[in-house]
Amino acid sequence: MSRLNYLFTSESVSEGHPDKVCDRISDTVVDAYLSVAPEARVACETLATTNRVVIAGEVRGPSEITADYIAHLARLAIKDIGYEQDGFHWHDADIEVLLHAQSSDIAQGVDAAGNKDEGAGDQGIMFGYATRETPELLPAPIYYAHRILKRLSDARRSGESSVLGPDAKSQVTVRYVDGKPVGVTQIVVSTQHLDETLTSRDVHAIVEPYVRQALPDGWIDANTVWHVNPTGKFVIGGPDGDAGLTGRKIIVDTYGGAAPHGGGAFSGKDPTKVDRSAAYAARYLAKNVVAADLADRVTIQLSYAIGVAQPLSLYVDTHGTGRVDDVKLEEVLFNIIDLSPRGIRQQLSLNRPIYARTAAYGHFGRAPEADGGFSWERIDLVDALRNAVG
């Protein structure tokens, strides 16, 4: 039997965190190709350090997406994030683009040919998860860690708190009673500040109102322990303070450690890469299972082989909360949508330039958008699932 009373911690990082700067640039490259050629292939990795950005990887797409254009888009992304500091400036940074053509060996496994459907872009395992802990069916610790940083970002961008810099991290320890989240025992916020004279106590006074706005009423009490800028000073931020790489924050991107992660990163990959698209599909299925009241909590695993269209396996675990047998759910979910790479892309309309917006504050628990962004957060399979299980 699972524990009912415990503490669980998750962290988030802001769009100005060095790794998230790289995720944003890589996904901006994906969007650039998909906006011109929806079937383009992109596997883009970014490295950022003091006033230097290196963009590398493999692509297959239109020639009008030049290295100069990609460097220009990277500058715009850095500018939008807010970096205009001496050690990392959108205008002054040296940006090197080292993208080359996709391997023909990989392409032949993915491409459709004759009677062969499009195959998965690589082998791998992907997980989806949903829980009733929040209205967005996301685990409470990661959901509120994201909300804290998003609220600080909004205050910075609006000018409401212009002393804050782009780089920030949060961490919340949530207390569970009878299996339900009821409060926070520890709050960690480290945020870059542009005024060197500010102390940790000064920064605490600035961020505390935003933290309280982000958390449910009553979750902070006299026993909650705060750690705000515990090193004492955080002026040098972003890639100038710490080098960044695409794909290093995969737990931040998903469920904050409350559910498994298959290991593959999302950012910088077009949707033929099942690391991304099948993880979205697994979340889509999990969210609809919980929204359909078939379980209070569910983990779904999918597995694929490179060049093979259909998943090798589908596994369901409702953690003892299911109203339907897990084996029955596996049968239903395998048939409710086409889980081939092509089927997933069509079901969720993934061949669109919708990825730069996913690069910070989580790929899950976000509202579906009118242009197809976060389509995997829809709950439009509820009736079909209920009918299928009788």
Side-chain angles (χ1 to χ4, degrees):
M1 179 179 292
S2 60
R3 292 174 60 189
L4 296 177
N5 303 311
Y6 57 94
L7 303 178
F8 195 87
T9 303
S10 293
E11 69 158 347
S12 181
V13 298
S14 72
E15 73 253 43
H17 184 280
D19 296 331
K20 282 295 156 196
V21 172
C22 294
D23 285 348
R24 170 70 177 274
I25 292 171
S26 292
D27 276 335
T28 296
V29 174
V30 173
D31 284 353
Y33 276 94
L34 294 181
S35 65
V36 177
E39 301 299 326
R41 304 278 170 77
V42 183
C44 176
E45 311 294 343
T46 302
L47 160 71
T49 185
T50 301
N51 266 336
R52 185 167 178 81
V53 175
V54 179
I55 301 169
E58 306 80 48
V59 297
R60 189 175 77 184
S63 58
E64 57 260 43
I65 307 293
T66 64
D68 286 345
Y69 182 58
I70 289 171
H72 169 69
L73 292 178
R75 292 190 193 281
L76 293 182
I78 296 166
K79 182 179 182 181
D80 181 67
I81 292 169
Y83 278 115
E84 295 186 342
Q85 60 193 45
D86 290 342
F88 196 69
H89 196 294
W90 66 269
H91 184 271
D92 300 334
D94 179 11
I95 298 179
E96 187 174 8
V97 179
L98 302 173
L99 296 171
H100 61 81
Q102 183 187 46
S103 161
S104 59
D105 292 346
I106 293 176
Q108 71 178 358
V110 177
D111 291 342
N115 294 325
K116 174 185 172 298
D117 195 3
E118 293 180 15
D122 202 352
Q123 71 177 45
I125 57 174
M126 298 84 205
F127 287 92
Y129 182 74
T131 173
R132 290 199 184 282
E133 291 180 19
T134 60
E136 292 74 13
L137 306 185
L138 201 65
I142 187 65
Y143 177 70
Y144 290 112
H146 287 325
R147 282 193 58 163
I148 288 170
L149 292 187
K150 187 62 170 63
R151 187 66 193 91
L152 291 177
S153 175
D154 291 344
R156 174 178 65 87
R157 287 176 171 274
S158 69
E160 182 181 337
S161 190
S162 57
V163 73
L164 298 177
D167 195 356
K169 301 177 77 171
S170 68
Q171 187 169 285
V172 293
T173 299
V174 174
R175 181 166 63 94
Y176 286 76
V177 175
D178 293 331
K180 294 180 171 53
V182 298
V184 290
T185 63
Q186 307 266 348
I187 298 170
V188 183
V189 178
S190 294
T191 180
Q192 184 183 13
H193 51 96
L194 307 181
D195 183 344
E196 295 194 28
T197 68
L198 294 180
T199 66
S200 295
R201 181 173 295 181
D202 296 328
V203 176
H204 186 149
I206 292 168
V207 304
E208 181 172 343
Y210 301 117
V211 174
R212 289 184 177 276
Q213 291 168 17
L215 295 174
D217 289 343
W219 273 37
I220 299 174
D221 60 26
N223 295 317
T224 301
V225 179
W226 294 72
H227 308 273
V228 178
N229 282 18
T231 63
K233 186 178 181 181
F234 189 1
V235 175
I236 301 172
D240 186 31
D242 189 10
L245 290 169
T246 300
R248 277 206 301 202
K249 288 293 178 284
I250 57 176
I251 302 304
V252 170
D253 286 343
T254 54
Y255 307 104
H261 190 293
F266 301 158
S267 290
K269 298 175 182 176
D270 75 79
T272 68
K273 280 72 171 174
V274 285
D275 279 342
R276 178 167 226 158
S277 55
Y280 290 172
R283 162 64 177 175
Y284 178 53
L285 293 176
K287 188 172 183 182
N288 275 271
V289 165
V290 175
D293 201 30
L294 303 182
D296 294 329
R297 182 163 70 100
V298 64
T299 300
I300 295 173
Q301 185 206 58
L302 296 170
S303 69
Y304 291 83
I306 187 168
V308 179
Q310 290 298 323
L312 309 185
S313 65
L314 186 156
Y315 165 80
V316 172
D317 182 0
T318 57
H319 307 281
T321 71
R323 259 71 79 182
V324 178
D325 183 74
D326 290 355
V327 174
K328 174 66 173 178
L329 269 180
E330 288 172 356
E331 296 172 358
V332 167
L333 293 177
F334 207 95
N335 296 305
I336 201 78
I337 65 170
D338 179 357
L339 288 169
S340 69
R342 183 203 298 270
I344 292 170
R345 296 200 310 277
Q346 291 176 343
Q347 175 78 24
L348 299 177
S349 301
L350 296 181
N351 287 96
R352 308 191 200 189
I354 56 174
Y355 297 106
R357 71 193 73 170
T358 69
Y361 310 115
H363 292 246
F364 307 133
R366 312 275 286 272
E369 297 176 345
D371 67 349
F374 301 101
S375 58
W376 49 92
E377 291 296 307
R378 301 189 316 241
I379 50 172
D380 53 0
L381 298 179
V382 167
D383 290 341
L385 283 169
R386 288 174 175 165
N387 290 336
V389 300

